[in-house]
Amino acid sequence: MLVKAVISYDGSEFYGMQIQPDKITVEGTISNALKKLNIKTKITHSGRTDRGVHALNQVISFEIPNFWNLEKLKNILNKILYPSIYFKKITIAPFDFHPRFSAKKRSYRYLISKYFTPFNAKYTHYYSKKIDIKKINNALGNLIGKHDFEYFAKTGSDVNNYIREIYKAYAFEYKNVYVIKIEGNGFLRGQIRIIINFLLQINENKLTINDLKKQLNKEKLISKHLAAPNGLYLERIWY
């Protein structure tokens, strides 16, 4: 039977989601755990996250023998994978389910810390400058809607088209952390991190909102630098 699993993981422990030769990845680690249970199967995921990027609700699917009790399987996997990967839920999925292509929308959040501490250095991006939330939100407003995000994708992205729709994009301050949240129907490789870096350059007056509009409209490629991966979280996927 095909099952759908919702997992969370500490991205600082892995070279990304997708399996790679001679690298410790989330997919590879889960595959090895399943093999210990004599489950040899292909794992399909909703999207690859880069090295150091975290997930709160990544979705994967794989096939298992019919005799497995799903709650028991979840508990055994969590013991094997502790503490870096956690299976939150495993449910039976229809055989036409695909974690990536069945998704209707997804959201990411990026956490920026005002103060440095070694205890959260892997999980938030430390930024010493004060963030102008109003300016960041004004910039983010320009992203909402359908756009060709080719200039906000990693070079070499293997996709048929770069058009994506952003439904929500906003920033807020919570205690000592700035949170930037972006929700859309899909995202390109590196898209969120390129956007975040662009926003921080706007915050520092190195770039302007007009520069963002020019790059968004593909009038001019201004910056494709990536923000640090440690502040980025795949937050949620809707089906």
PDB file of all heavy atoms in Angstrom, residues 100 143 145-166 185-191 194-195 215-216 218 224:
ATOM      1  N   ARG A 100       4.472  15.992  -4.466  1.00  0.00           N
ATOM      2  CA  ARG A 100       4.787  17.253  -5.142  1.00  0.00           C
ATOM      3  C   ARG A 100       3.654  17.716  -6.043  1.00  0.00           C
ATOM      4  O   ARG A 100       3.176  18.841  -5.946  1.00  0.00           O
ATOM      5  CB  ARG A 100       6.072  17.088  -5.958  1.00  0.00           C
ATOM      6  CG  ARG A 100       6.482  18.346  -6.717  1.00  0.00           C
ATOM      7  CD  ARG A 100       7.739  18.106  -7.539  1.00  0.00           C
ATOM      8  NE  ARG A 100       8.030  19.212  -8.413  1.00  0.00           N
ATOM      9  CZ  ARG A 100       8.906  19.172  -9.400  1.00  0.00           C
ATOM     10  NH1 ARG A 100       9.582  18.056  -9.650  1.00  0.00           N
ATOM     11  NH2 ARG A 100       9.129  20.224 -10.169  1.00  0.00           N
ATOM     12  N   LEU A 143       5.445  41.044  -4.417  1.00  0.00           N
ATOM     13  CA  LEU A 143       5.584  39.650  -4.839  1.00  0.00           C
ATOM     14  C   LEU A 143       4.247  38.955  -5.024  1.00  0.00           C
ATOM     15  O   LEU A 143       4.157  37.924  -5.704  1.00  0.00           O
ATOM     16  CB  LEU A 143       6.401  38.866  -3.811  1.00  0.00           C
ATOM     17  CG  LEU A 143       7.828  39.355  -3.532  1.00  0.00           C
ATOM     18  CD1 LEU A 143       8.444  38.528  -2.417  1.00  0.00           C
ATOM     19  CD2 LEU A 143       8.683  39.279  -4.783  1.00  0.00           C
ATOM     20  N   GLY A 145       0.818  37.672  -6.280  1.00  0.00           N
ATOM     21  CA  GLY A 145       0.278  37.514  -7.623  1.00  0.00           C
ATOM     22  C   GLY A 145       1.136  36.582  -8.449  1.00  0.00           C
ATOM     23  O   GLY A 145       2.078  35.967  -7.943  1.00  0.00           O
ATOM     24  N   LYS A 146       0.818  36.449  -9.730  1.00  0.00           N
ATOM     25  CA  LYS A 146       1.566  35.583 -10.641  1.00  0.00           C
ATOM     26  C   LYS A 146       2.728  36.350 -11.260  1.00  0.00           C
ATOM     27  O   LYS A 146       2.543  37.462 -11.763  1.00  0.00           O
ATOM     28  CB  LYS A 146       0.658  35.053 -11.758  1.00  0.00           C
ATOM     29  CG  LYS A 146      -0.229  33.901 -11.347  1.00  0.00           C
ATOM     30  CD  LYS A 146      -0.974  33.345 -12.556  1.00  0.00           C
ATOM     31  CE  LYS A 146      -1.879  32.182 -12.141  1.00  0.00           C
ATOM     32  NZ  LYS A 146      -2.635  31.653 -13.298  1.00  0.00           N
ATOM     33  N   HIS A 147       3.904  35.738 -11.209  1.00  0.00           N
ATOM     34  CA  HIS A 147       5.093  36.362 -11.793  1.00  0.00           C
ATOM     35  C   HIS A 147       5.986  35.290 -12.405  1.00  0.00           C
ATOM     36  O   HIS A 147       5.926  34.116 -12.029  1.00  0.00           O
ATOM     37  CB  HIS A 147       5.896  37.114 -10.724  1.00  0.00           C
ATOM     38  CG  HIS A 147       5.133  38.177 -10.006  1.00  0.00           C
ATOM     39  ND1 HIS A 147       4.900  39.430 -10.529  1.00  0.00           N
ATOM     40  CD2 HIS A 147       4.530  38.164  -8.780  1.00  0.00           C
ATOM     41  CE1 HIS A 147       4.198  40.148  -9.658  1.00  0.00           C
ATOM     42  NE2 HIS A 147       3.966  39.402  -8.600  1.00  0.00           N
ATOM     43  N   ASP A 148       6.830  35.721 -13.324  1.00  0.00           N
ATOM     44  CA  ASP A 148       7.888  34.865 -13.847  1.00  0.00           C
ATOM     45  C   ASP A 148       9.100  35.072 -12.942  1.00  0.00           C
ATOM     46  O   ASP A 148       9.739  36.120 -12.976  1.00  0.00           O
ATOM     47  CB  ASP A 148       8.220  35.262 -15.288  1.00  0.00           C
ATOM     48  CG  ASP A 148       9.256  34.340 -15.929  1.00  0.00           C
ATOM     49  OD1 ASP A 148      10.059  33.740 -15.184  1.00  0.00           O
ATOM     50  OD2 ASP A 148       9.275  34.237 -17.168  1.00  0.00           O
ATOM     51  N   PHE A 149       9.415  34.064 -12.120  1.00  0.00           N
ATOM     52  CA  PHE A 149      10.468  34.193 -11.111  1.00  0.00           C
ATOM     53  C   PHE A 149      11.822  33.645 -11.585  1.00  0.00           C
ATOM     54  O   PHE A 149      12.637  33.241 -10.766  1.00  0.00           O
ATOM     55  CB  PHE A 149      10.045  33.470  -9.821  1.00  0.00           C
ATOM     56  CG  PHE A 149       9.052  34.235  -8.996  1.00  0.00           C
ATOM     57  CD1 PHE A 149       7.697  33.927  -9.053  1.00  0.00           C
ATOM     58  CD2 PHE A 149       9.466  35.257  -8.157  1.00  0.00           C
ATOM     59  CE1 PHE A 149       6.778  34.619  -8.283  1.00  0.00           C
ATOM     60  CE2 PHE A 149       8.552  35.965  -7.378  1.00  0.00           C
ATOM     61  CZ  PHE A 149       7.207  35.645  -7.445  1.00  0.00           C
ATOM     62  N   GLU A 150      12.063  33.677 -12.901  1.00  0.00           N
ATOM     63  CA  GLU A 150      13.323  33.134 -13.408  1.00  0.00           C
ATOM     64  C   GLU A 150      14.538  33.812 -12.768  1.00  0.00           C
ATOM     65  O   GLU A 150      15.541  33.163 -12.473  1.00  0.00           O
ATOM     66  CB  GLU A 150      13.410  33.282 -14.925  1.00  0.00           C
ATOM     67  CG  GLU A 150      14.673  32.672 -15.508  1.00  0.00           C
ATOM     68  CD  GLU A 150      14.742  32.754 -17.013  1.00  0.00           C
ATOM     69  OE1 GLU A 150      13.787  33.287 -17.638  1.00  0.00           O
ATOM     70  OE2 GLU A 150      15.751  32.280 -17.575  1.00  0.00           O
ATOM     71  N   TYR A 151      14.448  35.119 -12.523  1.00  0.00           N
ATOM     72  CA  TYR A 151      15.571  35.856 -11.937  1.00  0.00           C
ATOM     73  C   TYR A 151      15.663  35.669 -10.421  1.00  0.00           C
ATOM     74  O   TYR A 151      16.540  36.239  -9.774  1.00  0.00           O
ATOM     75  CB  TYR A 151      15.474  37.346 -12.275  1.00  0.00           C
ATOM     76  CG  TYR A 151      15.798  37.682 -13.723  1.00  0.00           C
ATOM     77  CD1 TYR A 151      16.077  36.684 -14.652  1.00  0.00           C
ATOM     78  CD2 TYR A 151      15.811  39.004 -14.160  1.00  0.00           C
ATOM     79  CE1 TYR A 151      16.369  36.996 -15.980  1.00  0.00           C
ATOM     80  CE2 TYR A 151      16.112  39.319 -15.476  1.00  0.00           C
ATOM     81  CZ  TYR A 151      16.386  38.319 -16.385  1.00  0.00           C
ATOM     82  OH  TYR A 151      16.684  38.632 -17.694  1.00  0.00           O
ATOM     83  N   PHE A 152      14.742  34.881  -9.873  1.00  0.00           N
ATOM     84  CA  PHE A 152      14.780  34.551  -8.445  1.00  0.00           C
ATOM     85  C   PHE A 152      14.928  33.045  -8.243  1.00  0.00           C
ATOM     86  O   PHE A 152      14.470  32.510  -7.233  1.00  0.00           O
ATOM     87  CB  PHE A 152      13.510  35.054  -7.750  1.00  0.00           C
ATOM     88  CG  PHE A 152      13.459  36.552  -7.596  1.00  0.00           C
ATOM     89  CD1 PHE A 152      12.876  37.336  -8.575  1.00  0.00           C
ATOM     90  CD2 PHE A 152      14.012  37.175  -6.491  1.00  0.00           C
ATOM     91  CE1 PHE A 152      12.824  38.720  -8.447  1.00  0.00           C
ATOM     92  CE2 PHE A 152      13.975  38.543  -6.352  1.00  0.00           C
ATOM     93  CZ  PHE A 152      13.383  39.329  -7.336  1.00  0.00           C
ATOM     94  N   ALA A 153      15.565  32.385  -9.194  1.00  0.00           N
ATOM     95  CA  ALA A 153      15.791  30.950  -9.094  1.00  0.00           C
ATOM     96  C   ALA A 153      17.278  30.664  -9.236  1.00  0.00           C
ATOM     97  O   ALA A 153      18.001  31.392  -9.916  1.00  0.00           O
ATOM     98  CB  ALA A 153      15.014  30.200 -10.176  1.00  0.00           C
ATOM     99  N   LYS A 154      17.716  29.608  -8.571  1.00  0.00           N
ATOM    100  CA  LYS A 154      19.103  29.186  -8.708  1.00  0.00           C
ATOM    101  C   LYS A 154      19.430  28.901 -10.168  1.00  0.00           C
ATOM    102  O   LYS A 154      18.622  28.323 -10.884  1.00  0.00           O
ATOM    103  CB  LYS A 154      19.353  27.905  -7.891  1.00  0.00           C
ATOM    104  CG  LYS A 154      19.760  28.125  -6.453  1.00  0.00           C
ATOM    105  CD  LYS A 154      20.132  26.781  -5.834  1.00  0.00           C
ATOM    106  CE  LYS A 154      20.586  26.946  -4.392  1.00  0.00           C
ATOM    107  NZ  LYS A 154      20.953  25.637  -3.794  1.00  0.00           N
ATOM    108  N   THR A 155      20.616  29.281 -10.593  1.00  0.00           N
ATOM    109  CA  THR A 155      21.067  28.979 -11.944  1.00  0.00           C
ATOM    110  C   THR A 155      21.097  27.466 -12.148  1.00  0.00           C
ATOM    111  O   THR A 155      21.547  26.731 -11.278  1.00  0.00           O
ATOM    112  CB  THR A 155      22.472  29.561 -12.178  1.00  0.00           C
ATOM    113  OG1 THR A 155      22.439  30.965 -11.907  1.00  0.00           O
ATOM    114  CG2 THR A 155      22.916  29.342 -13.615  1.00  0.00           C
ATOM    115  N   GLY A 156      20.570  27.032 -13.280  1.00  0.00           N
ATOM    116  CA  GLY A 156      20.556  25.602 -13.577  1.00  0.00           C
ATOM    117  C   GLY A 156      19.313  24.887 -13.088  1.00  0.00           C
ATOM    118  O   GLY A 156      19.259  23.655 -13.119  1.00  0.00           O
ATOM    119  N   SER A 157      18.301  25.636 -12.630  1.00  0.00           N
ATOM    120  CA  SER A 157      17.050  25.007 -12.193  1.00  0.00           C
ATOM    121  C   SER A 157      16.393  24.301 -13.375  1.00  0.00           C
ATOM    122  O   SER A 157      16.218  24.889 -14.450  1.00  0.00           O
ATOM    123  CB  SER A 157      16.098  26.065 -11.627  1.00  0.00           C
ATOM    124  OG  SER A 157      16.631  26.649 -10.466  1.00  0.00           O
ATOM    125  N   ASP A 158      16.047  23.039 -13.183  1.00  0.00           N
ATOM    126  CA  ASP A 158      15.486  22.217 -14.257  1.00  0.00           C
ATOM    127  C   ASP A 158      13.967  22.236 -14.171  1.00  0.00           C
ATOM    128  O   ASP A 158      13.350  21.356 -13.576  1.00  0.00           O
ATOM    129  CB  ASP A 158      16.038  20.790 -14.142  1.00  0.00           C
ATOM    130  CG  ASP A 158      15.555  19.903 -15.278  1.00  0.00           C
ATOM    131  OD1 ASP A 158      15.140  20.448 -16.309  1.00  0.00           O
ATOM    132  OD2 ASP A 158      15.589  18.662 -15.127  1.00  0.00           O
ATOM    133  N   VAL A 159      13.362  23.262 -14.760  1.00  0.00           N
ATOM    134  CA  VAL A 159      11.901  23.390 -14.743  1.00  0.00           C
ATOM    135  C   VAL A 159      11.417  23.784 -16.133  1.00  0.00           C
ATOM    136  O   VAL A 159      12.171  24.325 -16.948  1.00  0.00           O
ATOM    137  CB  VAL A 159      11.426  24.440 -13.707  1.00  0.00           C
ATOM    138  CG1 VAL A 159      11.715  23.986 -12.298  1.00  0.00           C
ATOM    139  CG2 VAL A 159      12.072  25.800 -13.974  1.00  0.00           C
ATOM    140  N   ASN A 160      10.133  23.510 -16.407  1.00  0.00           N
ATOM    141  CA  ASN A 160       9.552  23.852 -17.709  1.00  0.00           C
ATOM    142  C   ASN A 160       9.214  25.334 -17.804  1.00  0.00           C
ATOM    143  O   ASN A 160       9.305  25.931 -18.873  1.00  0.00           O
ATOM    144  CB  ASN A 160       8.289  23.022 -17.957  1.00  0.00           C
ATOM    145  CG  ASN A 160       8.601  21.542 -18.090  1.00  0.00           C
ATOM    146  OD1 ASN A 160       9.645  21.172 -18.626  1.00  0.00           O
ATOM    147  ND2 ASN A 160       7.713  20.694 -17.597  1.00  0.00           N
ATOM    148  N   ASN A 161       8.778  25.918 -16.698  1.00  0.00           N
ATOM    149  CA  ASN A 161       8.503  27.352 -16.682  1.00  0.00           C
ATOM    150  C   ASN A 161       8.749  27.904 -15.282  1.00  0.00           C
ATOM    151  O   ASN A 161       8.810  27.162 -14.301  1.00  0.00           O
ATOM    152  CB  ASN A 161       7.076  27.646 -17.152  1.00  0.00           C
ATOM    153  CG  ASN A 161       6.037  27.261 -16.124  1.00  0.00           C
ATOM    154  OD1 ASN A 161       5.827  27.954 -15.132  1.00  0.00           O
ATOM    155  ND2 ASN A 161       5.365  26.122 -16.339  1.00  0.00           N
ATOM    156  N   TYR A 162       8.903  29.201 -15.211  1.00  0.00           N
ATOM    157  CA  TYR A 162       9.265  29.860 -13.958  1.00  0.00           C
ATOM    158  C   TYR A 162       8.102  30.644 -13.355  1.00  0.00           C
ATOM    159  O   TYR A 162       8.291  31.407 -12.415  1.00  0.00           O
ATOM    160  CB  TYR A 162      10.439  30.805 -14.196  1.00  0.00           C
ATOM    161  CG  TYR A 162      11.728  30.101 -14.566  1.00  0.00           C
ATOM    162  CD1 TYR A 162      12.043  29.818 -15.901  1.00  0.00           C
ATOM    163  CD2 TYR A 162      12.631  29.702 -13.591  1.00  0.00           C
ATOM    164  CE1 TYR A 162      13.219  29.162 -16.242  1.00  0.00           C
ATOM    165  CE2 TYR A 162      13.813  29.053 -13.921  1.00  0.00           C
ATOM    166  CZ  TYR A 162      14.095  28.783 -15.248  1.00  0.00           C
ATOM    167  OH  TYR A 162      15.270  28.135 -15.573  1.00  0.00           O
ATOM    168  N   ILE A 163       6.924  30.464 -13.903  1.00  0.00           N
ATOM    169  CA  ILE A 163       5.773  31.221 -13.396  1.00  0.00           C
ATOM    170  C   ILE A 163       5.239  30.552 -12.137  1.00  0.00           C
ATOM    171  O   ILE A 163       4.928  29.365 -12.119  1.00  0.00           O
ATOM    172  CB  ILE A 163       4.671  31.336 -14.465  1.00  0.00           C
ATOM    173  CG1 ILE A 163       5.179  32.154 -15.652  1.00  0.00           C
ATOM    174  CG2 ILE A 163       3.415  31.985 -13.875  1.00  0.00           C
ATOM    175  CD1 ILE A 163       4.250  32.190 -16.844  1.00  0.00           C
ATOM    176  N   ARG A 164       5.153  31.338 -11.084  1.00  0.00           N
ATOM    177  CA  ARG A 164       4.610  30.887  -9.808  1.00  0.00           C
ATOM    178  C   ARG A 164       3.678  31.982  -9.267  1.00  0.00           C
ATOM    179  O   ARG A 164       3.852  33.159  -9.588  1.00  0.00           O
ATOM    180  CB  ARG A 164       5.715  30.611  -8.783  1.00  0.00           C
ATOM    181  CG  ARG A 164       6.710  29.524  -9.194  1.00  0.00           C
ATOM    182  CD  ARG A 164       6.069  28.147  -9.207  1.00  0.00           C
ATOM    183  NE  ARG A 164       7.027  27.085  -9.494  1.00  0.00           N
ATOM    184  CZ  ARG A 164       7.355  26.683 -10.720  1.00  0.00           C
ATOM    185  NH1 ARG A 164       6.802  27.252 -11.779  1.00  0.00           N
ATOM    186  NH2 ARG A 164       8.228  25.708 -10.899  1.00  0.00           N
ATOM    187  N   GLU A 165       2.725  31.568  -8.451  1.00  0.00           N
ATOM    188  CA  GLU A 165       1.804  32.543  -7.849  1.00  0.00           C
ATOM    189  C   GLU A 165       2.025  32.611  -6.344  1.00  0.00           C
ATOM    190  O   GLU A 165       2.022  31.599  -5.663  1.00  0.00           O
ATOM    191  CB  GLU A 165       0.351  32.181  -8.152  1.00  0.00           C
ATOM    192  CG  GLU A 165      -0.636  33.220  -7.640  1.00  0.00           C
ATOM    193  CD  GLU A 165      -2.070  32.984  -8.079  1.00  0.00           C
ATOM    194  OE1 GLU A 165      -2.340  31.972  -8.765  1.00  0.00           O
ATOM    195  OE2 GLU A 165      -2.920  33.832  -7.736  1.00  0.00           O
ATOM    196  N   ILE A 166       2.212  33.820  -5.861  1.00  0.00           N
ATOM    197  CA  ILE A 166       2.356  34.059  -4.426  1.00  0.00           C
ATOM    198  C   ILE A 166       1.010  34.538  -3.888  1.00  0.00           C
ATOM    199  O   ILE A 166       0.440  35.520  -4.382  1.00  0.00           O
ATOM    200  CB  ILE A 166       3.441  35.119  -4.136  1.00  0.00           C
ATOM    201  CG1 ILE A 166       4.793  34.695  -4.732  1.00  0.00           C
ATOM    202  CG2 ILE A 166       3.566  35.358  -2.637  1.00  0.00           C
ATOM    203  CD1 ILE A 166       5.379  33.448  -4.136  1.00  0.00           C
ATOM    204  N   ASN A 185       1.719  28.792  -4.686  1.00  0.00           N
ATOM    205  CA  ASN A 185       1.336  27.503  -5.276  1.00  0.00           C
ATOM    206  C   ASN A 185       2.547  26.622  -5.554  1.00  0.00           C
ATOM    207  O   ASN A 185       2.411  25.434  -5.839  1.00  0.00           O
ATOM    208  CB  ASN A 185       0.515  27.718  -6.555  1.00  0.00           C
ATOM    209  CG  ASN A 185       1.310  28.387  -7.670  1.00  0.00           C
ATOM    210  OD1 ASN A 185       2.426  28.866  -7.479  1.00  0.00           O
ATOM    211  ND2 ASN A 185       0.716  28.435  -8.859  1.00  0.00           N
ATOM    212  N   GLY A 186       3.743  27.177  -5.443  1.00  0.00           N
ATOM    213  CA  GLY A 186       4.965  26.413  -5.639  1.00  0.00           C
ATOM    214  C   GLY A 186       6.160  27.341  -5.657  1.00  0.00           C
ATOM    215  O   GLY A 186       6.001  28.556  -5.858  1.00  0.00           O
ATOM    216  N   PHE A 187       7.349  26.773  -5.465  1.00  0.00           N
ATOM    217  CA  PHE A 187       8.548  27.599  -5.404  1.00  0.00           C
ATOM    218  C   PHE A 187       9.687  26.942  -6.175  1.00  0.00           C
ATOM    219  O   PHE A 187       9.785  25.716  -6.247  1.00  0.00           O
ATOM    220  CB  PHE A 187       8.968  27.832  -3.948  1.00  0.00           C
ATOM    221  CG  PHE A 187       7.955  28.618  -3.161  1.00  0.00           C
ATOM    222  CD1 PHE A 187       7.005  27.964  -2.385  1.00  0.00           C
ATOM    223  CD2 PHE A 187       7.920  29.995  -3.224  1.00  0.00           C
ATOM    224  CE1 PHE A 187       6.050  28.680  -1.674  1.00  0.00           C
ATOM    225  CE2 PHE A 187       6.970  30.719  -2.522  1.00  0.00           C
ATOM    226  CZ  PHE A 187       6.039  30.063  -1.742  1.00  0.00           C
ATOM    227  N   LEU A 188      10.541  27.783  -6.742  1.00  0.00           N
ATOM    228  CA  LEU A 188      11.699  27.331  -7.502  1.00  0.00           C
ATOM    229  C   LEU A 188      12.880  27.105  -6.568  1.00  0.00           C
ATOM    230  O   LEU A 188      12.889  27.582  -5.429  1.00  0.00           O
ATOM    231  CB  LEU A 188      12.062  28.384  -8.555  1.00  0.00           C
ATOM    232  CG  LEU A 188      10.947  28.696  -9.559  1.00  0.00           C
ATOM    233  CD1 LEU A 188      11.193  30.045 -10.221  1.00  0.00           C
ATOM    234  CD2 LEU A 188      10.844  27.597 -10.603  1.00  0.00           C
ATOM    235  N   ARG A 189      13.894  26.411  -7.060  1.00  0.00           N
ATOM    236  CA  ARG A 189      15.093  26.163  -6.253  1.00  0.00           C
ATOM    237  C   ARG A 189      15.757  27.482  -5.879  1.00  0.00           C
ATOM    238  O   ARG A 189      16.094  28.295  -6.732  1.00  0.00           O
ATOM    239  CB  ARG A 189      16.092  25.304  -7.029  1.00  0.00           C
ATOM    240  CG  ARG A 189      15.740  23.843  -7.103  1.00  0.00           C
ATOM    241  CD  ARG A 189      16.913  23.038  -7.622  1.00  0.00           C
ATOM    242  NE  ARG A 189      18.031  23.070  -6.679  1.00  0.00           N
ATOM    243  CZ  ARG A 189      19.297  22.884  -7.022  1.00  0.00           C
ATOM    244  NH1 ARG A 189      19.632  22.696  -8.285  1.00  0.00           N
ATOM    245  NH2 ARG A 189      20.244  22.907  -6.114  1.00  0.00           N
ATOM    246  N   GLY A 190      15.924  27.684  -4.573  1.00  0.00           N
ATOM    247  CA  GLY A 190      16.602  28.881  -4.084  1.00  0.00           C
ATOM    248  C   GLY A 190      15.744  30.127  -4.071  1.00  0.00           C
ATOM    249  O   GLY A 190      16.207  31.191  -3.632  1.00  0.00           O
ATOM    250  N   GLN A 191      14.496  30.036  -4.523  1.00  0.00           N
ATOM    251  CA  GLN A 191      13.656  31.233  -4.674  1.00  0.00           C
ATOM    252  C   GLN A 191      13.481  32.005  -3.366  1.00  0.00           C
ATOM    253  O   GLN A 191      13.663  33.227  -3.339  1.00  0.00           O
ATOM    254  CB  GLN A 191      12.281  30.847  -5.234  1.00  0.00           C
ATOM    255  CG  GLN A 191      11.353  32.040  -5.460  1.00  0.00           C
ATOM    256  CD  GLN A 191      10.002  31.625  -6.018  1.00  0.00           C
ATOM    257  OE1 GLN A 191       9.836  30.512  -6.519  1.00  0.00           O
ATOM    258  NE2 GLN A 191       9.025  32.503  -5.936  1.00  0.00           N
ATOM    259  N   ILE A 194      16.796  33.670  -2.190  1.00  0.00           N
ATOM    260  CA  ILE A 194      17.160  34.820  -3.025  1.00  0.00           C
ATOM    261  C   ILE A 194      16.278  36.019  -2.670  1.00  0.00           C
ATOM    262  O   ILE A 194      16.757  37.151  -2.554  1.00  0.00           O
ATOM    263  CB  ILE A 194      17.046  34.470  -4.522  1.00  0.00           C
ATOM    264  CG1 ILE A 194      18.132  33.446  -4.902  1.00  0.00           C
ATOM    265  CG2 ILE A 194      17.181  35.725  -5.392  1.00  0.00           C
ATOM    266  CD1 ILE A 194      17.969  32.843  -6.289  1.00  0.00           C
ATOM    267  N   ILE A 195      14.984  35.764  -2.466  1.00  0.00           N
ATOM    268  CA  ILE A 195      14.063  36.838  -2.070  1.00  0.00           C
ATOM    269  C   ILE A 195      14.474  37.431  -0.724  1.00  0.00           C
ATOM    270  O   ILE A 195      14.517  38.660  -0.560  1.00  0.00           O
ATOM    271  CB  ILE A 195      12.610  36.310  -2.015  1.00  0.00           C
ATOM    272  CG1 ILE A 195      12.074  36.064  -3.434  1.00  0.00           C
ATOM    273  CG2 ILE A 195      11.693  37.298  -1.273  1.00  0.00           C
ATOM    274  CD1 ILE A 195      10.740  35.340  -3.474  1.00  0.00           C
ATOM    275  N   GLN A 215      13.736  43.485 -11.187  1.00  0.00           N
ATOM    276  CA  GLN A 215      14.139  42.086 -11.284  1.00  0.00           C
ATOM    277  C   GLN A 215      12.915  41.185 -11.439  1.00  0.00           C
ATOM    278  O   GLN A 215      12.945  40.200 -12.182  1.00  0.00           O
ATOM    279  CB  GLN A 215      14.958  41.673 -10.063  1.00  0.00           C
ATOM    280  CG  GLN A 215      15.474  40.244 -10.141  1.00  0.00           C
ATOM    281  CD  GLN A 215      16.743  40.012  -9.361  1.00  0.00           C
ATOM    282  OE1 GLN A 215      17.655  40.823  -9.382  1.00  0.00           O
ATOM    283  NE2 GLN A 215      16.810  38.898  -8.650  1.00  0.00           N
ATOM    284  N   LEU A 216      11.839  41.540 -10.746  1.00  0.00           N
ATOM    285  CA  LEU A 216      10.609  40.757 -10.819  1.00  0.00           C
ATOM    286  C   LEU A 216      10.017  40.802 -12.226  1.00  0.00           C
ATOM    287  O   LEU A 216       9.472  39.808 -12.718  1.00  0.00           O
ATOM    288  CB  LEU A 216       9.598  41.289  -9.791  1.00  0.00           C
ATOM    289  CG  LEU A 216       8.409  40.428  -9.416  1.00  0.00           C
ATOM    290  CD1 LEU A 216       8.858  39.088  -8.859  1.00  0.00           C
ATOM    291  CD2 LEU A 216       7.543  41.158  -8.394  1.00  0.00           C
ATOM    292  N   LYS A 218      11.782  41.166 -14.854  1.00  0.00           N
ATOM    293  CA  LYS A 218      12.864  40.691 -15.722  1.00  0.00           C
ATOM    294  C   LYS A 218      13.418  41.794 -16.617  1.00  0.00           C
ATOM    295  O   LYS A 218      13.886  41.543 -17.729  1.00  0.00           O
ATOM    296  CB  LYS A 218      12.396  39.487 -16.552  1.00  0.00           C
ATOM    297  CG  LYS A 218      12.058  38.262 -15.692  1.00  0.00           C
ATOM    298  CD  LYS A 218      11.520  37.110 -16.509  1.00  0.00           C
ATOM    299  CE  LYS A 218      12.590  36.495 -17.385  1.00  0.00           C
ATOM    300  NZ  LYS A 218      12.106  35.268 -18.082  1.00  0.00           N
ATOM    301  N   LYS A 224      21.231  37.752  -7.233  1.00  0.00           N
ATOM    302  CA  LYS A 224      20.746  36.384  -7.034  1.00  0.00           C
ATOM    303  C   LYS A 224      21.491  35.717  -5.888  1.00  0.00           C
ATOM    304  O   LYS A 224      21.620  34.504  -5.839  1.00  0.00           O
ATOM    305  CB  LYS A 224      20.912  35.561  -8.319  1.00  0.00           C
ATOM    306  CG  LYS A 224      19.882  35.886  -9.383  1.00  0.00           C
ATOM    307  CD  LYS A 224      19.993  34.992 -10.597  1.00  0.00           C
ATOM    308  CE  LYS A 224      19.319  33.675 -10.383  1.00  0.00           C
ATOM    309  NZ  LYS A 224      19.198  32.877 -11.614  1.00  0.00           N
TER     310      LYS A 224
END
